């Protein structure tokens, strides 16, 4: 890891820089030491509302212009509100680092809060509350309902979302006063992870943040809580449910002065999450309401469960206490705890190899604990946690006071609740501001007036030096990429399912579940500190995994056991796994895939053994390995484990599918119609780079022609997207729509008119350059972490492109001119004559209709 550089500016702002980070993008975050525990009594939800407003205007970027220069470069930005901090973060191409710093400095210096933006963001906050808290089943469990019972101080007990009816009384001056009192430079941390040198970055930091005035803020809130010396219990009525759910809360040790003890609870939570009540109640356990080390004390060790019929809250708690007692014996955790600790350590290192995650964690650990280095130290602390420490934590929980919150239908709560409820939270003593606070008008008018957005700097090219692509003797394609940012190896194996998958995706899902159980795949990989998952979508079978380098041999051996032909038990339909319902796009794609694939030329596989052998064929598969080994080392490991994987028999071949022009997928008619216009890409003609740019220019960016068409129809928030992929073995170009029913014909006619115009008239050079800049910048996101790079390479290779395309894409995108894009538009979108509609006939005037 590169050295972390620190400095504190004269205004009190702490700055952390991780320079020379091996990536073509940069991440910037600002953490303010103010969260919803900083809200004045009666202003619940104010911190979250101010977070929203911080994106809506500042002196130099008023009226929502924050994103104007960000989105065209494929950059991202967001913010989140937590108990003791609020963070704002951006990830941009390295050439845009100074612009990211400019945006953060401008809103730190002079945010603009207006009445119109306040009204708009109140609506957004209301929708978020309705979706994230009130719209989810048991949505208040465990937060914010459990703290309201567990803590006595209103600061710790209140709901940081607040209630929208009360928030509507908030004024822009209230928001300005909160900002002025809590968003002070001396309470903030600026963090930058970048490929630039430290000296380059310090110059930019001083240029943009050096003249942000320092000022006195309010003292931090008093979070003190009386000792937890009694069990507490309360109920929460949840309409529309039939089962009881519960949340248990225990006090955690203060990580500020008992960090090793806290880390032991993190390992204990890992063990507790694997425990299941004898009545089959599943359990989730974790440190903190928002995750481990995400808040100052007091915080909670939380256990939640939805109880099956026949399991009572008291019965669940009694069994859990018995489990704490079992784990308090050193013998019980002698093997379990070290393994769980290794898993957590590896997961932490893998997650924080990502540039955004690392940047945000550095700032969070610094603003909360003045210890940014904990990003790297935590893995060692976790790995070094002993069985004795975990046993002591379990023993403490077995004897500790706990808070039990029971949620469910009103008619089932009474029998589980005491006659008295805990006292209301006590309001804190009034806080006297350090001085008078500025109004919103004063806040947004810093001396010197608006400033100009700085120009872009020099881009940083992605580096895949030493990577290689080859085939094993059995035909398996191997893409190997050395990557030393994280001490784990990422593995992605993708196998096309062919007609068997298109015809019977559920049978393929059953096959994968049988294979996972037969090989004990997940447990074997977890034993070496990694993870492994199997999935299918009707078109591909994907094996996704990772492990530390010392576990790579085990990981590959497990994969070999999954794919090599073997005798499997007779097929018995398995209980369907709970899964999210398919999206409209998935349903339309499934229908078109079946249409295009036609009836397979071979009969269905009679048993799982035959199905397995027909699907898992090395000659059709691609293996991607990304990790801290040489390409030859990765390839050799792959060859040793998978070289004996041989093709067993011929693959089933599809017959040509029907040529139906309109395919209707039955669905209840609603106000919004989903449909796709589809065409098969020709193999010859325009170049890959021209096709890539044309797709973005037509419908792949926020300023694309189809996005403008949406706005012209008065529905900019709805969907018109152009894309390219592989479907049923065909390279496909498509345009997806989601538009009001009454505008379907106008939208389709408008799309076809845009396509005709693009074919007939080459786009202006500046429009081509905008698309080129966006595509070049967007592809850099693949390099944000080893995991994302492995995912990107899997998708790239599945689309028929290779490592060479990833390496040379920035240069290749610079070659097509306007006329080349017109030719590509003709090849891709000139013959989109396959229309899939989710619903009923929208009156498109197409006579031939598929069933």
């Amino acid at each position: 890891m590169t050295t972390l550089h620190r400095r504190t500016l004269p205004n009190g702002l702490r700055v952390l820089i991780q320079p020379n980070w091996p990536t073509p993008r940069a991440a910037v975050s600002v953490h303010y030491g103010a969260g919803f525990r900083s809200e004045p009594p009666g202003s619940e939800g104010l911190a979250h509302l101010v977070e929203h407003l911080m994106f809506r205007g500042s002196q130099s970027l008023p009226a929502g212009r924050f994103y104007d220069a960000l989105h065209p470069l494929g950059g991202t930005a967001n913010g989140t509100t937590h108990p003791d901090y609020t963070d704002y973060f951006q990830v941009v191409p390295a050439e845009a680092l100074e612009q990211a710093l400019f945006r953060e400095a401008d809103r730190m210096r002079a945010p603009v809060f207006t009445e119109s933006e306040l009204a708009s963001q109140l609506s957004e906050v209301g929708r978020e509350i309705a979706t994230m808290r009130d719209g989810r089943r048991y949505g208040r469990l465990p937060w914010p309902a459990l703290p309201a019972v567990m803590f006595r101080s209103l600061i710790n007990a209140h709901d940081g979302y607040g209630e929208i009816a009360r928030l509507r009384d908030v004024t822009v001056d209230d928001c300005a006063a909160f900002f002025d009192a809590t968003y002070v430079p001396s309470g903030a941390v600026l963090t930058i992870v970048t490929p630039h040198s430290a000296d380059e970055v310090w110059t930019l930091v001083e240029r943009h943040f050096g003249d942000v005035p320092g000022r006195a803020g309010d003292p931090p809130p008093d979070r003190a809580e009386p000792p937890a010396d009694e069990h507490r219990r309360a109920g929460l009525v949840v309409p529309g449910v039939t089962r009881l759910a519960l949340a248990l809360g225990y006090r955690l040790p203060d990580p500020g002065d008992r960090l090793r003890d806290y880390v032991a609870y993190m390992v204990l939570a890992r063990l507790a999450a694997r425990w299941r009540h004898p009545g089959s109640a599943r359990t989730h356990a974790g440190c903190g309401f928002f995750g481990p080390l995400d808040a100052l004390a007091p915080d909670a060790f939380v256990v939640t469960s939805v109880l099956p019929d026949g399991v009572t809250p008291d019965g669940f708690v009694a069994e859990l206490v018995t489990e704490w007692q079992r784990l308090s014996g050193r013998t019980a955790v002698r093997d379990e705890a070290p393994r769980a600790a290794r898993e957590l350590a590896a997961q932490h290192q893998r997650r924080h190899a990502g540039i955004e995650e690392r940047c945000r964690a550095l700032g969070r650990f610094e603003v909360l604990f003045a210890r940014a280095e904990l990003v790297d130290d935590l893995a060692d602390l976790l790995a070094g946690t002993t069985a004795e420490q975990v046993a002591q934590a379990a023993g403490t929980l077995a004897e500790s006071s706990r808070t039990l919150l029971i949620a469910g239908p009103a008619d089932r709560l009474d029998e589980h609740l005491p006659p008295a409820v805990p006292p209301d939270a006590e309001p804190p003593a009034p806080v006297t501001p350090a001085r008078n606070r500025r109004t919103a008008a004063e806040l947004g008018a810093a001396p010197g007036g608006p400033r100009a957005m700085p120009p872009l700097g020099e881009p940083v090219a992605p580096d895949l030096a030493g990577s290689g692509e080859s085939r094993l003797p059995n035909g398996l394609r191997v893409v190997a990429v050395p990557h030393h940012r994280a001490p784990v190896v990422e593995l992605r194996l993708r196998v096309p399912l062919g007609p068997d998958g298109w015809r019977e995706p559920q049978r393929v899902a059953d096959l994968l579940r049988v294979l996972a159980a037969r090989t004990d795949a997940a447990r074997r990989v977890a034993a070496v500190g990694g993870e492994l998952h199997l999935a299918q979508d009707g078109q591909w079978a994907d094996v996704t995994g990772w492990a530390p380098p010392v576990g790579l041999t085990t990981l590959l051996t497990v994969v070999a056991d999954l794919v090599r032909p073997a005798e499997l038990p007779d097929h018995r339909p398995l209980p369907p796994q709970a899964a999210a319902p398919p999206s409209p796009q998935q349903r339309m794609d499934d229908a078109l895939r079946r249409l295009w694939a036609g009836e397979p030329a071979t009969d269905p596989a009679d048993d799982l053994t035959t199905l397995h052998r027909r699907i898992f064929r090395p000659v059709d598969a691609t293996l991607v390995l990304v990790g801290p080994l040489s390409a030859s080392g990765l390839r050799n490991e792959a060859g040793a484990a998978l070289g004996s994987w041989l093709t067993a028999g011929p693959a089933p071949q599809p017959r040509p599918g029907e040529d139906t022009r309109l395919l209707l997928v039955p669905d209840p008619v609603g106000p919004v119609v989903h449909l796709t216009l589809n065409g098969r890409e020709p193999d010859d003609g325009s170049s890959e780079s021209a096709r890539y740019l044309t797709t973005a220019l037509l419908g792949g960016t926020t300023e694309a022609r189809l996005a403008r068409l949406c706005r012209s129809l008065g529905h900019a928030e709805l969907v018109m997207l152009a894309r390219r992929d592989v479907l049923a073995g065909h390279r496909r170009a498509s345009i997806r729509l989601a538009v009001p029913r009454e505008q379907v014909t106008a939208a389709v006619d408008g799309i076809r008119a845009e396509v005709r115009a693009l074919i007939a008239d080459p786009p202006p050079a500046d429009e081509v350059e905008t698309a080129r800049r966006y595509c070049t910048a967007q592809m850099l996101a693949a390099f944000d972490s080893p995991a994302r790079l492995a995912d990107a390479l899997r998708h790239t290779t599945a689309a028929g492109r290779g490592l060479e395309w990833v390496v040379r894409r920035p240069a290749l995108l610079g070659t097509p001119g306007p006329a080349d894009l017109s030719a590509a538009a003709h090849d891709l979108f000139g013959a989109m004559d396959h229309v899939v509609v989710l619903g009923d006939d929208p009156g498109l005037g197409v006579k031939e209709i598929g069933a």
Side-chain angles (χ1 to χ4, degrees):
M1 297 300 178
T2 59
T3 301
L4 185 64
H5 294 246
R6 294 171 171 270
R7 189 176 296 177
T8 300
L9 301 184
N11 57 18
L13 178 66
R14 285 175 284 172
V15 184
L16 306 172
I17 299 175
Q18 184 125 57
N20 305 314
W21 194 250
T23 175
R25 300 222 296 174
V28 173
S29 70
V30 176
H31 286 70
Y32 294 94
F36 58 76
R37 288 205 278 208
S38 304
E39 295 167 343
S43 299
E44 292 81 3
L46 180 59
H48 181 218
L49 178 58
V50 169
E51 175 225 310
H52 275 247
L53 287 172
M54 288 286 283
F55 287 94
R56 302 311 306 161
S58 57
Q59 187 176 39
S60 305
L61 300 168
R65 288 177 49 201
F66 182 91
Y67 293 99
D68 284 1
L70 182 74
H71 284 160
L73 291 173
T76 58
N78 208 340
T80 56
T81 307
H82 298 252
D84 303 307
Y85 71 90
T86 304
D87 69 336
Y88 301 88
F89 49 95
Q90 302 176 58
V91 182
V92 297
E95 64 193 281
L97 171 61
E98 185 174 7
Q99 292 186 349
L101 295 172
F102 174 88
R103 282 186 283 266
E104 294 298 348
D106 202 60
R107 62 179 169 183
M108 180 183 289
R109 181 186 299 107
V112 173
F113 301 155
T114 66
E115 296 289 352
S116 61
E117 290 293 356
L118 176 59
S120 171
Q121 294 312 303
L122 280 169
S123 296
E124 289 295 323
V125 168
R127 280 193 286 268
E128 187 173 339
I129 291 173
T131 301
M132 300 302 295
R133 187 192 68 186
D134 300 339
R136 294 185 299 123
R137 182 169 292 189
Y138 307 107
R140 294 175 181 257
L141 204 71
W143 186 88
L146 183 57
V149 183
M150 188 172 181
F151 298 128
R152 295 288 303 277
S153 166
L154 183 63
I155 284 175
N156 302 319
H158 81 270
D159 178 356
Y161 273 129
E163 299 299 334
I164 196 65
R166 177 176 289 185
L167 283 170
R168 294 194 189 282
D169 294 331
V170 171
T171 68
V172 290
D173 287 341
D174 293 332
C175 297
F178 181 79
F179 175 93
D180 213 26
T182 61
Y183 277 50
V184 295
S186 58
V189 176
L190 167 66
T191 310
I192 304 156
V193 180
T194 178
H196 299 91
S197 70
D199 288 342
E200 290 178 275
V201 180
W202 284 127
T203 299
L204 301 179
V205 167
E206 290 166 353
R207 178 182 303 163
H208 294 288
F209 290 88
D211 64 348
V212 175
R215 63 182 188 277
D218 282 355
D222 181 4
R223 301 180 310 277
E225 280 284 333
D229 55 5
E230 62 178 358
H231 296 319
R232 310 189 85 197
R233 177 188 293 236
L236 174 68
V237 175
V238 181
V241 301
T242 58
R243 290 184 173 183
L244 294 176
L246 60 78
L248 272 170
Y250 300 83
R251 292 278 186 89
L252 278 168
D254 185 345
D257 55 21
R258 294 177 57 195
L259 182 58
R260 288 189 178 275
D261 293 338
Y262 186 104
V263 171
Y265 280 89
M266 293 173 62
V267 179
L268 178 61
R270 179 82 168 188
L271 298 180
R274 294 171 176 162
W275 174 77
R276 182 179 291 190
H277 183 277
S280 296
R282 293 182 178 274
T283 303
H284 179 272
C287 290
F289 292 108
F290 294 86
L293 297 171
D294 196 73
L296 299 168
D299 205 356
F301 184 99
V302 181
V303 179
T304 58
S305 181
V306 177
L307 303 182
D309 294 336
V311 178
T312 66
D314 286 330
F316 180 93
V317 172
E319 292 289 346
L320 182 62
V321 171
T322 299
E323 176 67 3
W324 296 148
Q325 292 168 341
R326 183 187 76 84
L327 293 174
S328 67
R330 296 180 182 180
T331 302
V333 296
R334 181 180 55 201
D335 297 323
E336 296 177 61
R339 174 182 148 188
R342 290 194 301 271
E343 291 173 6
L344 285 174
Q347 286 179 349
H348 176 83
Q349 290 174 313
R350 178 180 186 247
R351 174 175 175 79
H352 293 93
I355 188 171
E356 178 189 308
E357 293 81 1
R358 184 172 190 82
C359 184
R360 294 179 65 193
L362 285 166
R364 178 176 93 246
F365 289 148
E366 182 68 19
V367 80
L368 292 178
F369 311 115
R371 187 176 173 181
E373 292 81 1
L374 196 54
V375 171
D376 294 322
D377 297 345
L378 186 57
D380 292 335
L381 286 168
L382 284 164
T385 301
T386 65
E388 290 78 7
Q389 290 169 320
V390 177
Q392 182 177 356
T396 300
L397 291 189
E399 303 295 330
S400 292
S401 298
R402 59 184 176 266
T403 298
L404 172 62
L405 179 64
I406 307 168
D411 60 352
R412 295 193 60 189
L413 287 180
D414 290 344
E415 61 183 294
H416 301 291
L417 297 178
V421 297
D424 292 336
E426 299 174 354
V431 176
T432 302
R435 62 179 182 83
N436 292 331
R437 297 302 174 194
R438 291 175 288 177
T439 66
E442 293 168 334
L443 198 67
R451 308 180 184 201
M453 173 71 75
L456 294 173
E458 292 297 319
V460 174
D463 183 10
L464 284 177
S467 301
E469 180 178 353
S470 58
R471 285 192 180 271
L472 298 182
N474 61 5
L476 177 64
R477 182 183 185 186
V478 179
V479 178
V481 180
H483 202 296
H484 299 275
R485 199 185 312 164
V488 299
V489 178
E490 299 285 345
L491 176 148
R492 306 290 186 270
L493 176 68
R494 171 159 280 188
V495 182
L497 294 176
D500 286 306
W502 308 333
R503 177 167 47 190
E504 295 186 277
Q506 186 55 53
R507 288 197 73 209
V508 177
D510 289 347
L511 169 64
L512 297 186
R513 291 166 66 185
V514 167
L515 287 172
R518 175 183 171 274
T519 59
D520 198 15
R523 188 200 62 79
R524 290 165 63 193
V525 176
V528 296
E531 291 184 0
L532 187 74
H533 304 280
L534 284 78
Q536 65 85 34
D537 63 358
Q539 178 148 318
W540 311 102
D542 284 315
V543 181
T544 301
W546 60 273
V550 294
L552 178 58
T553 299
T554 298
L555 176 62
L556 287 166
T557 299
V558 171
V559 172
D561 291 343
L562 288 169
V563 301
R564 280 195 297 244
E567 294 297 322
L568 298 175
D570 291 339
H571 173 63
R572 291 186 297 274
L574 299 173
Q577 289 184 317
S583 67
Q585 183 66 58
Q586 288 174 308
R587 294 183 61 189
M588 291 187 289
D589 285 355
D590 286 344
L592 185 61
R593 182 185 294 118
R594 289 192 294 271
L595 183 74
W596 278 5
E599 281 298 317
T602 49
D603 294 330
D606 293 329
D607 53 70
L608 290 185
T609 299
T610 303
L611 180 63
H612 179 252
R613 292 179 178 180
R614 293 205 324 201
I615 288 175
F616 286 95
R617 300 164 48 82
V619 70
D620 300 323
T622 298
L623 175 69
V624 176
L625 294 170
V626 179
L629 298 172
S630 67
S632 61
L634 292 168
R635 183 185 183 281
N636 290 341
E637 288 272 7
L642 295 167
S644 59
W645 173 22
L646 300 176
T647 296
Q653 298 298 317
R655 291 194 181 102
E658 298 181 30
D659 203 27
T660 303
R661 291 295 185 262
L662 176 64
L663 178 66
L664 298 179
V665 182
D667 193 72
V669 177
V672 175
V673 174
H674 297 270
L675 64 156
T676 55
L677 311 179
N678 306 272
R680 295 169 180 159
E681 278 194 42
D683 292 330
D684 51 9
S686 53
S687 69
E688 173 61 32
S689 52
R691 296 183 184 193
Y692 196 91
L693 287 175
T694 300
T695 305
L697 183 146
L698 180 64
T701 75
T702 56
E703 294 303 319
R705 294 190 177 192
L706 296 187
R708 296 198 296 269
L709 176 60
C710 272
R711 292 194 285 271
S712 72
L713 293 173
H715 290 278
E717 75 281 4
L718 296 182
V719 175
M720 288 188 189
L721 292 175
R723 67 173 190 166
R724 299 166 62 217
D725 58 5
V726 175
L727 189 76
H730 300 281
R731 295 178 65 186
R732 173 181 68 157
S734 65
I735 295 176
R736 177 191 170 196
L737 295 83
V739 296
R741 173 168 295 277
E742 65 275 10
Q743 291 188 298
V744 170
T745 301
V748 173
D749 289 346
I751 289 172
R752 296 198 184 279
E754 289 288 351
V755 170
R756 287 194 298 268
L758 185 55
I759 293 172
D761 299 311
D766 59 344
E767 188 179 14
V768 176
E769 184 56 33
T770 297
R772 194 189 326 274
R773 181 181 295 118
Y774 176 85
C775 291
T776 301
Q778 186 189 48
M779 59 84 65
L780 300 179
F783 295 83
D784 283 358
S785 72
R788 291 193 67 171
L789 180 58
D791 288 339
L793 289 171
R794 172 172 59 190
H795 292 303
T796 297
T797 52
R801 296 181 286 269
L803 186 62
E804 179 70 8
W805 166 248
V806 177
V807 174
R808 297 187 57 220
R809 181 159 50 173
L812 292 172
L813 290 178
T815 57
D820 299 314
L821 270 64
S822 287
H826 173 272
D827 293 342
L828 294 177
F829 304 107
M832 292 183 299
D833 49 6
H834 296 270
V835 182
V836 185
V837 181
L838 189 63
D840 62 358
D841 184 1
L844 295 177
V846 181
K847 294 181 180 180
E848 187 176 355
I849 298 178

